Amino acid sequence: MVNIETIDVFYSLHSFQEDELRDKTVVIIDVLRASSTIVTAFMNGAKAIIPVGDMGEASKIAQNVDSDNYLLCGEKDGEKIEGYDLGNSPLEYLKEIVEGKNLIFNTTNGTKAIKKSLGSSKTYIASFLNVSAIVDELKKQENEIVLVCAGWKGRLAFEDMLLAGNIIHLLCNGSLPNGSRDGAKVAFGLYDKFGDDISTVIHQSNHATRLKDIIGTSDIDYCCQVDITDMLPRLKEGMITLTDG
Amino acid sequence: MVNIETIDVFYSLHSFQEDELRDKTVVIIDVLRASSTIVTAFMNGAKAIIPVGDMGEASKIAQNVDSDNYLLCGEKDGEKIEGYDLGNSPLEYLKEIVEGKNLIFNTTNGTKAIKKSLGSSKTYIASFLNVSAIVDELKKQENEIVLVCAGWKGRLAFEDMLLAGNIIHLLCNGSLPNGSRDGAKVAFGLYDKFGDDISTVIHQSNHATRLKDIIGTSDIDYCCQVDITDMLPRLKEGMITLTDG
């Protein structure tokens, strides 16, 4: 039974230390686009995803695995990395490309946030695509819960905070206890104000505005869809797979 | 004439680089308690305040000035520092103690945030005590405005974000443009949700809860008062004095 008053929200991957996630149930949020891409890869049959912190780590792992079964994936500053099999657009992660494959995944903010949660008790990957599945799973937790918004280079990202607020709103049935943590109140306030039309407000966010110039709007449209899947990706021993609960 | 769409809000002193404040008009917010204490010191006749980043810097300056005219002030983790003349409670900054004096001021989050804004075009110190004076001054600015919330050890602080939201709410007459920055939307959403009863919600914040255990509630009651002064402290060449506009 989840205790809402103990839920915390970190608004960027630079706003906390690894120690603050120890023994917690952690939810990683990077709506545009790492979380949404991870969820999509599993929807299309990917076997496992190895999150890495930088290009060096990605290359090292890639050199030591069978390239028939592994794909090197990710982006730097929103763009596909030269020599990689896939970028960070969920629309690239088609069934015919990712089914049965292991993905080495390297992004500017999202995978770094995932790496910081290695000492947690459990870590799930959340997007709007699978928000209800995440909420159902969180309702079963005994641990304290931390929602980690990846943010953007140390800043908060509107769309990540909005999803955090959506999760809290669902967990507390729209009524936040007075004793809740500061981070939870900030995310809840944002969702309360802007949650009626998720797609429109996310399109107006700073990150979406930056991405539109690089990749157009189709990724953003895709990532704003709510509950199109019940996939529940979970980090276990450094690797993301589908959870068995 | 202020352009609301260019206002940004940083939610902790660790969430930005000094460069991001260059040539901007900066507002430093540390409601509990550095901003409120600085404003109070000027209400009671302090001549100037020198913000310092740590105890070492404070000691170095203190050794080189006439101790009759200078007071060594501040806190570490909420408590007065041994050997200092004053702590960080605004209630200590009485007229008979601070009038005509220069204060060397050293706090855990607030003065560090002030130090990071040395490259700004202008830097003002805001609290609930002087919020309308700050808003009137911001309305005259031609520069982009950044509201810097000191936060608490890298985390956001509810009361700082609430004041940022209050300032934005007043500047845009309660109607935030769609194109506003992510940080401004988050602060605005928080104020929209929780701004009706500032004192009650600040008393429930994480920082107030921590402080109550150390110093009781009188400081918090004091810092929640709105518009008790039109003092406008401004940083100029490393020193905070009252602005002449």
Side-chain angles (χ1 to χ4, degrees):
Chain A
M1 182 63 191
V2 55
N3 176 358
I4 303 292
E5 294 195 1
T6 64
I7 298 181
D8 218 333
V9 179
F10 298 149
Y11 39 86
S12 98
L13 74 100
H14 299 299
S15 68
F16 64 95
Q17 305 297 322
E18 279 89 338
D19 265 2
E20 298 177 71
L21 304 184
R22 196 162 300 282
D23 302 324
K24 308 278 173 73
T25 293
V26 173
V27 178
I28 302 288
I29 296 173
D30 186 1
V31 172
L32 296 175
R33 299 166 285 171
S35 293
S36 306
T37 299
I38 290 169
V39 170
T40 303
F42 284 112
M43 287 166 65
N44 288 327
K47 200 168 150 195
I49 297 178
I50 306 169
V52 298
D54 55 42
M55 289 173 67
E57 193 187 349
S59 303
K60 235 179 261 176
I61 296 173
Q63 281 163 8
N64 291 305
V65 294
D66 170 10
S67 63
D68 285 349
N69 297 321
Y70 281 80
L71 297 173
L72 194 49
C73 314
E75 52 81 28
K76 194 168 164 52
D77 298 331
E79 300 196 62
K80 186 175 159 183
I81 300 167
E82 208 185 317
Y84 274 37
D85 299 301
L86 294 171
N88 188 24
S89 166
L91 303 175
E92 293 177 77
Y93 289 69
L94 302 170
K95 193 168 177 175
E96 52 267 37
I97 296 173
V98 301
E99 191 168 33
K101 300 281 188 183
N102 299 295
L103 314 181
I104 302 164
F105 195 46
N106 171 28
T107 73
T108 313
N109 304 292
T111 58
K112 289 181 181 62
I114 296 169
K115 292 283 287 183
K116 280 188 88 169
S117 76
L118 287 172
S120 71
S121 170
K122 297 176 183 177
T123 293
Y124 298 98
I125 314 296
S127 64
F128 282 103
L129 310 176
N130 67 336
V131 58
S132 289
I134 289 285
V135 168
D136 289 344
E137 186 68 14
L138 291 180
K139 284 179 181 165
K140 302 177 202 161
Q141 303 301 311
E142 302 283 341
N143 301 323
E144 285 189 19
I145 294 169
V146 181
L147 310 181
V148 174
C149 299
W152 188 78
K153 298 189 175 181
R155 295 203 184 189
L156 59 78
F158 177 89
E159 67 281 3
D160 293 345
M161 292 290 279
L162 191 70
L163 177 54
N166 193 349
I167 290 171
I168 291 167
H169 205 268
L170 289 167
L171 283 173
C172 71
N173 298 315
S175 174
L176 193 71
N178 290 338
S180 299
R181 303 254 171 106
D182 287 7
K185 286 179 191 163
V186 170
F188 185 87
L190 188 71
Y191 184 78
D192 205 69
K193 180 69 188 171
F194 296 102
D196 286 341
D197 187 356
I198 287 168
S199 179
T200 301
V201 292
I202 289 182
H203 273 273
Q204 290 161 349
S205 71
N206 293 162
H207 198 161
T209 307
R210 275 190 301 270
L211 274 180
K212 275 175 204 164
D213 293 338
I214 307 172
I215 53 141
T217 61
S218 51
D219 276 17
I220 304 162
D221 293 334
Y222 177 84
C223 296
C224 291
Q225 299 174 98
V226 177
D227 284 337
I228 63 168
T229 178
D230 58 2
M231 294 282 152
L232 209 54
R234 178 169 165 198
L235 183 70
K236 229 175 186 171
E237 289 157 19
M239 201 177 274
I240 305 167
T241 52
L242 285 182
T243 182
D244 45 7
Chain B
M1 180 63 193
V2 55
N3 176 358
I4 303 292
E5 294 196 1
T6 64
I7 298 181
D8 217 334
V9 178
F10 298 149
Y11 40 85
S12 98
L13 74 102
H14 299 300
S15 68
F16 64 94
Q17 305 296 322
E18 279 89 339
D19 264 3
E20 299 178 71
L21 304 184
R22 196 162 300 282
D23 303 325
K24 308 278 172 75
T25 292
V26 173
V27 177
I28 302 289
I29 296 172
D30 186 1
V31 171
L32 296 175
R33 298 167 284 173
S35 292
S36 306
T37 299
I38 290 169
V39 169
T40 303
F42 284 112
M43 286 166 65
N44 288 327
K47 199 168 150 195
I49 298 178
I50 305 169
V52 298
D54 55 42
M55 288 172 68
E57 194 187 347
S59 304
K60 235 178 261 176
I61 296 173
Q63 282 164 7
N64 292 305
V65 294
D66 170 11
S67 62
D68 285 349
N69 298 321
Y70 281 80
L71 297 173
L72 194 50
C73 313
E75 54 81 27
K76 194 166 164 51
D77 297 331
E79 301 197 62
K80 185 175 162 182
I81 300 167
E82 207 185 319
Y84 274 38
D85 299 300
L86 294 170
N88 189 24
S89 165
L91 303 175
E92 293 177 77
Y93 289 70
L94 302 170
K95 193 168 177 174
E96 52 268 37
I97 297 173
V98 301
E99 191 167 34
K101 300 280 187 184
N102 298 296
L103 314 181
I104 302 164
F105 196 45
N106 170 28
T107 73
T108 313
N109 304 293
T111 56
K112 289 182 181 62
I114 296 169
K115 293 283 287 183
K116 279 188 88 169
S117 75
L118 286 173
S120 71
S121 170
K122 297 176 183 177
T123 294
Y124 298 98
I125 312 297
S127 64
F128 282 104
L129 311 176
N130 67 337
V131 58
S132 289
I134 289 285
V135 168
D136 289 345
E137 185 68 14
L138 292 180
K139 284 180 179 165
K140 303 177 201 161
Q141 303 301 310
E142 302 283 342
N143 301 323
E144 284 189 21
I145 294 169
V146 181
L147 310 181
V148 173
C149 299
W152 188 77
K153 299 188 175 181
R155 294 203 184 190
L156 59 78
F158 177 90
E159 67 282 3
D160 293 345
M161 292 290 280
L162 190 70
L163 177 54
N166 193 349
I167 290 171
I168 292 168
H169 205 269
L170 289 167
L171 283 173
C172 71
N173 298 315
S175 173
L176 193 71
N178 291 337
S180 300
R181 303 257 171 104
D182 287 6
K185 286 179 191 164
V186 171
F188 184 87
L190 188 71
Y191 184 77
D192 205 70
K193 180 69 187 169
F194 295 102
D196 286 341
D197 187 356
I198 287 168
S199 179
T200 302
V201 292
I202 289 181
H203 273 273
Q204 290 161 349
S205 71
N206 293 163
H207 198 160
T209 308
R210 274 189 301 270
L211 274 180
K212 274 174 204 164
D213 294 337
I214 307 173
I215 52 143
T217 61
S218 51
D219 277 16
I220 304 163
D221 293 334
Y222 178 83
C223 295
C224 290
Q225 299 173 100
V226 177
D227 283 338
I228 63 168
T229 177
D230 57 3
M231 295 281 153
L232 209 54
R234 178 171 164 194
L235 183 70
K236 231 174 185 172
E237 290 157 19
M239 200 175 273
I240 304 167
T241 52
L242 285 182
T243 181
D244 46 6

